[in-house]
Amino acid sequence: MTSMSFGTIARGDALRARRFPLSPSEGWAALGLLLLMVLTMAWSVDDASWVAGPRGQTDFLALAAVLSVLWGFASAKAGWSRLVAHLLGAVVAALAVPIMVGSHLPEGGGPIQWFQATAAHSVDAYLDLTYFRKPLTQEVGHFLLVLGLLTWATGQFAGYVTFHHHRPLNAVVVVGIMLVANIALTAHDQLWYLVIFSLAALFLLIRFHSFDERTLWIRHRIGDAGSLSGMYLKGGAVFVAAAVVASLFLTIAARSDPLSAMWTGADQGIIDIGRQLQRIFPAGGDGTKFQFIDFAGTAQITGVWVTDNTPVLEIKTPDDGHYYWRAVTYDHFDGHAWSWSKEADANVAAGQPLLAGSADDPTALVGRRKATFTVTELTKYDPKAVFAPDAPISVDVDSTVMSVGSSTPQPLGGIQANAADYQVTALVPIDGHVDPKNGLTAHKLEAAGTDYPDSIKKLYLAPLDPGIVGPSTQTVLEAILAAHPEAKDSPYDFARAATDYLLHEGDFRYEADVQAVPCGRMSVSECFAKYKQGYCQYYASLLAVLLHMQNIPARFAQGFLPAQRSPTGIETIRASASHAWVEVYFPDYGWYQFDPTGGHIGQDVPLPEGPAVSPRPRSPRPSGGNDNGPDRPRSIPPAAGGTTAGSTGAGGPGSGPLIVIGLLLAIAVGGAAFTAYRRGPRSASEPETAWRGVVSIARRLGFAPRPNQTVFEYSAALGEVLPNARPDLQTVARAKVEVAYGRATLGDDRLHSVRDAQRRLRVALLGLIFRRRERRERRGRGIRRL
């Protein structure tokens, strides 16, 4: 009895040793190489600064990569099936990743508080995009969560497929795709990440190949398996080193671009995708290439302004004028983005008037002259915006004019050409320095008055959205009026004074990266007024808000700054010249630009004073919906319940009901999916099809048939594991044998019985998930594990 007990204990120890070996058969080096591969991918994503805000928010990705690989490795060595390993891994990730994300959010606290912070950020992002209908969200917690889960999923898959299925190539491909995709969308130089990944991947493949060959030699007792492994590893190391050195040499010394034609025209597809993604995931730091020049229906303002010196336009000018190359203008500001309040498109034939009958019709403007510009676009971006200074008249190619607003006539939003090269004719200001009588001067605009057209008042003097104006913006307005008393009664004087205040007097500082500025839920203009750090979109947004507060029609414009001109009159415009400024409306004179951007970026040139001009009689205050005056910021009443945009108070939906609704929806969808799965085939099933379905389900759950098993042997073995399913298994197996081997033709009754048995088996076979112990015990008795 004692000897039997000792024998049993010894066999149990041996079984545990086989099940949980102290060292993996593939060697710890294989695990280390896989960890290095996945870590390289995580470091690459971290370096790209995908998430707006302070650097370091994505530092947790390395920890997520390590833990996910270790989970895949441990579940493979524990003998878990693919379904069980990945399902439990998803549960662990759902708990661990939010905690890791929350530890890098500003709320602080412990693991529970970190998890709650991640959930709160995700709910706030959802509310921004759905309940408050913002064009984008400034939350980052959900973005960090997505990056963390992607990293975890990649590492878990790589660990499991490498050590369970012994398919390291699959891991190399998946991790490599993630790494290369990130590098392709990253402005930072990440060549060395690719080198490290390549070294780790090649050594991992060589090691597994050596392991497989060694196993084969041991099985067939051929020679010294240890010597074979050493030979493979040494030869492989020499090959990898030579290949990497040669690749680096070619990278430095040569350039090959054989597939460039495949990507022609693909840039706009990237822009369209990026435009949608930026609504959900705010763009990150200077490492991401999703910061693109995009003159479309929305100008989203993020925490960083990223451009480069890529040439994008060549413009031949007819004179030595100083021109801002405008592409689009926007009328509506929600605090974080400028957009068109309502868009209407009109096709205009080549050479025909672009703005005839619109609110921006330039034919009656005073102080203007015609000028024609030849524009050549050096990029392949679509849509092809028409770049023109001041008031465009016509284009020599077919075009589409985007008007904005709901009133008639409508002002201009932008123009798109149907060709990359075109000539555009525009009315540009006559230089008041050269011709004070006919040109634009400060005195003329001071005397222009405030008799604005109704369409201009209705669109550009509409009430600002709630939350845009705050105490800091009000303080800036009061400071401007105190320093420039003359600006109270003249729109031009106020626009000039506000521009000068932002440029020189208010201690505002140009910063291209303001991700570290704690704006929170403040509007861009309020944040800039408070912290006085930002780039051109921040300057222009605050100036436009200040003008609105003074009942002065203003719009937000984007395009390119003037560039250095060649002796032949050609300006080469680079991406780094992309810019934003403000245009102010003056009766009879149209729109005139003001550029408040400091840091020697803006190229604002004040008008000459010119001869004195008698002012027009002043009209009453414009009735654009603002009766608050300059001392009280304009806003529309909050929605019922007392909430304003950006809040999640009692008037808006809380996160609790949303979570409950989400759970109910998930349960409903899961129930519907299970019902559809359970119903299975609706018509009579062929025995061969029914049998293949049974085998397929069992195989996926780890109970595949042995190659030498007959149909009846396999069904009997399954019946031992699932006794309640035995009758249905026999029904399907008998029909399969009769048709496949006996050439029998079954009647409708038999076929329907096969279908009903198959339906019941689709549910009964799910019980194999919980039969791991029986599977191990019967591993040698008829069923093998995949």
Side-chain angles (χ1 to χ4, degrees), residues 40-92:
T40 302
M41 179 205 70
W43 291 332
S44 172
V45 176
D46 182 25
D47 178 68
S49 302
W50 279 100
V51 181
R55 293 188 65 88
Q57 292 185 109
T58 52
D59 288 349
F60 72 93
L61 292 177
L63 177 60
V66 172
L67 294 179
S68 61
V69 171
L70 292 179
W71 176 270
F73 169 77
S75 58
K77 293 305 176 183
W80 294 348
S81 68
R82 177 171 48 189
L83 180 63
V84 173
H86 291 318
L87 183 61
L88 293 179
V91 173
V92 173

Side-chain angles (χ1 to χ4, degrees), residues 697-710:
I697 295 173
R699 176 182 288 112
R700 290 181 179 276
L701 298 178
F703 287 78
R706 294 171 61 90
N708 59 349
Q709 266 185 319
T710 66

